Amino acid sequence: MFQGSSFKISPLNIAVCTALFSHVAIANTDETVVVTGNPLQAADVTIDASQLEKSQASDLNDIFRTSSEVSVGGGTDYSQKVYVRGLEDTMLNVTIDGAVQAGSLFHHQGSLFIEPELLEQVDVSAGAGRATDGAGALGGAIKMKTKDPRKLLEAGDQFGGRVKTTYSDNTDGFKTSATGYGALSDKVTVLASLGYTDQDDYEDGNGDTAEYTGFRNKFGFAKIVGELTDSQTLTFSYERKEDDATRYSRPHMGYFERRGNPGNYPLAQSTYRDTATLNYLLASDSHWLNLDTTFYYTDLKLERFDDPRFGTYIGNTESIGGDIRNTSTLDKLTLIYGIDFRKDESTFSGGNQTFVDKGDQTGAYLQGDYKATQSLLLSAGARYDRYALDEDLRDGDSRTEGSDISDSGFSPNVAATYFITEDVNVILGYAEAFRGPQVSELWLLDYVYSANDRKGEKAKNTELTINWNFNNGYLSATAFDSKIEDVIGRDSSVYENIGTVDNQGFTVSAGYQLESVAATISYSRAEPELNGVPLNDGNMNIGTATGDTLVTTVNYFATDDLEFGWTGRFVDRLTDVPDGTDEKSGYGVHDLYAQWMPISGEDLALTASVKNVFDKAYRDQASLSEDYNGPFEQGRNIKLGVNWGF
């Protein structure tokens, strides 16, 4: 494993497999990131605050740009969707500080509304995995964690703060944030952060303006941490992000006409997300009792004003939930077990009508890790989930009342890790994930309803991973075979089971450090198909196929105060497409960054980053293709940032 005062490990590094039951500390100049090993499914992608700062991340594309298994399509931040091995984020369990991000706003735009500035760490686990990944993790899990005031305070300091400003030349825009943190007492620390982003429409690589892609975002965040005793910690956090702008009615598409009239027209829109979480940790001296309890509330809202066809209408999804888990360590056996629950309510109001979906999920889970011998680690677990969905009557629904659907199922998993040598291990795992009926997409609540015979979806995932760690480097290869049965899709106005998604592929990655230079490379292939036909742009809320992806990174640490980095992302042309659709063009995109701390002993960093260095005109293959009038991605964007801590 890489360690050192100057090297920061790549997110592609999955060498955590060498410490499957321990916490692995990865040292870097900014902070220490702790990754929990997982014998079934190591974190395929781990991104920390240091990486986000150097790339000056402003959206989902920036967050996941260095992962070959993750693609982000949609152009501007408002419409972006995340795809893991070709499956859309709606097929994953996504959490922010343990708060599940449920529901879906609109299939023509994204539903993940996050400010990168607030993130301390992001972990992505691809494919159905452990019982602790949460309910309905058909395609895996994305876990986002916000910053902690205790980690921001320098030793011995009572208070501190940070002011950041970034200028983006492509959008002629600024992003500014101010953060304060401090210790109110020996036991209580707090953090508060405010930020504002003002960006104009971006230009693509052809020099053309992508209309209605500008935005005016605001965010606020507060966290208070109370160390009640040496073994008990209580944390409360609240986050709000707002977006007000004029956007196309279908934000991830460009302008087009239908029957001589605009088919995609601009609308004034307002979106916000509120998330509040309460976490209680009890790390007792007992091997039996180590509690981690989280309760949360999330409200995601979208309002559109004066639509020429439908007038003003509002949609929002509220979620209240919790996760109560305990860890018991018994000699060679570690058990993680608990219950989780969630209540979702989605409401759509337009004209004189209001439609409501109410969903419930309750689950119980157990995950066990057993060190059978010095060379063999075994893992097994399962979760049982029950779902219930109550749908209001829809327009055109011939039934006298809305649907009342429930379903339940088990999600087992098993894995074995064998250490051939201290530095070489092999992991073989099988996992299932069940997802029952959930609240529907907000913008379809008025007319789309569930079929009476709707069944739950079941994912089955088999993976084989080989890891080799050697002096200053690592080499890893993973092959997977996944299947999701009884996938839910929409046939006109009915949600129903439409078939099976089959997905096979692999990822090969490597990294090496030579003195002050560190490099990584990763190559991924995923081939998701629905009923034997490659997933494409029309399979929204399920996924889309992309070409083989190669990602390379090089970091050069010139001095203790100066470093440079390069990322190259290369996507092969996608030729295996459904009949009647065009192939997706391949592309290669390069990014650079440089970070300098000019004053010794002062917490001042000057950062310059360039995204799409050669001003490439391209569509990300996870975006809508030309067939569906998808926009080109942003052209060259030079960002200059000042980050001052005090």
Side-chain angles (χ1 to χ4, degrees), residues 15 41 52 114 125 171-172 192 194 236 250 283 307 323 330 338 346 370 384 396 508 540 563 569 628 639:
Q41 178 194 52
L52 299 179
I114 186 67
S125 298
T171 59
D172 193 22
L194 293 172
F236 174 77
R250 296 173 174 85
D307 187 301
D323 186 348
L330 311 170
S346 292
Y370 179 65
Y384 174 80
V508 179
M540 286 178 276
E563 64 178 87
R569 187 177 181 94
Y628 288 80
K639 294 183 180 181

Side-chain angles (χ1 to χ4, degrees), residues 391-597:
E391 293 179 333
D392 265 1
L393 179 69
R394 311 295 206 235
D395 282 349
D397 187 347
S398 60
R399 295 168 297 178
T400 57
E401 59 184 24
S403 298
D404 190 355
I405 307 169
S406 62
D407 204 350
S408 58
F410 281 96
S411 305
N413 67 78
V414 63
T417 302
Y418 182 69
F419 283 82
I420 300 172
T421 69
E422 187 179 73
D423 300 321
V424 179
N425 63 70
V426 179
I427 307 172
L428 177 62
Y430 172 80
E432 296 184 2
F434 172 82
R435 186 173 73 175
Q438 301 187 110
V439 293
S440 304
E441 179 184 319
L442 276 174
W443 248 236
L444 301 180
L445 283 182
D446 59 334
Y447 75 96
V448 182
Y449 56 89
S450 295
N452 291 325
D453 59 350
R454 172 177 174 171
K455 297 186 294 184
E457 301 160 285
K458 172 76 79 169
K460 300 177 180 179
N461 183 47
T462 303
E463 294 202 17
L464 174 65
T465 299
I466 302 174
N467 298 299
W468 176 30
N469 295 279
F470 49 90
N471 285 341
N472 298 327
Y474 70 89
L475 178 63
S476 180
T478 296
F480 67 90
D481 186 346
S482 297
K483 178 179 293 187
I484 305 177
E485 300 171 340
D486 295 318
V487 168
I488 295 296
R490 179 166 65 93
D491 182 8
S492 183
S493 61
V494 178
Y495 290 117
E496 60 184 1
N497 303 103
I498 59 174
T500 299
V501 170
D502 286 293
N503 194 8
Q504 293 84 35
F506 62 86
T507 295
V508 179
S509 60
Y512 191 74
Q513 180 187 12
L514 182 62
E515 297 181 349
S516 59
V517 178
T520 68
I521 186 169
S522 180
Y523 185 88
S524 293
R525 171 181 295 175
E527 300 176 318
E529 296 182 342
L530 174 61
N531 301 327
V533 179
L535 290 180
N536 67 5
D537 300 345
N539 298 123
M540 286 178 276
N541 286 339
I542 299 177
T544 192
T546 59
D548 293 1
T549 301
L550 173 71
V551 175
T552 58
T553 69
V554 176
N555 296 284
Y556 172 56
F557 305 91
T559 68
D560 290 341
D561 301 322
L562 179 63
E563 64 178 87
F564 302 90
W566 165 75
T567 297
R569 187 177 181 94
F570 309 94
V571 181
D572 195 17
R573 185 178 185 86
L574 184 67
T575 59
D576 188 11
V577 296
D579 293 341
T581 63
D582 291 338
E583 298 178 356
K584 294 184 179 181
S585 299
Y587 49 85
V589 185
H590 304 261
D591 303 334
L592 296 172
Y593 81 83
Q595 188 173 75
W596 179 39
M597 299 176 204

Side-chain angles (χ1 to χ4, degrees), residues 11-20 35-46 69 85 123-127 129-130 133 141 415 417 425 427 463 465 467 476 478:
L12 302 172
N13 179 18
I14 59 174
V16 295
C17 297
T18 62
L20 298 167
V35 182
T36 301
N38 181 338
L40 174 65
Q41 178 194 52
D44 302 299
V45 183
T46 298
E69 282 197 312
R85 293 179 178 172
D123 291 325
V124 180
S125 298
R130 289 167 69 88
D133 281 345
T417 302
N425 63 70
I427 307 172
E463 294 202 17
T465 299
N467 298 299
S476 180
T478 296

Side-chain angles (χ1 to χ4, degrees), residues 39-91:
L40 174 65
Q41 178 194 52
D44 302 299
V45 183
T46 298
I47 303 131
D48 65 25
S50 173
Q51 294 167 264
L52 299 179
E53 180 183 330
K54 290 166 187 173
S55 66
Q56 303 186 98
S58 60
D59 58 21
L60 292 168
N61 186 289
D62 292 338
I63 292 175
F64 297 106
R65 202 160 176 84
T66 54
S67 170
S68 62
E69 282 197 312
V70 182
S71 301
V72 178
T76 187
D77 73 328
Y78 184 80
S79 58
Q80 287 174 346
K81 301 179 182 182
V82 178
Y83 297 83
V84 178
R85 293 179 178 172
L87 297 181
E88 193 175 324
D89 48 61
T90 51
M91 305 290 281

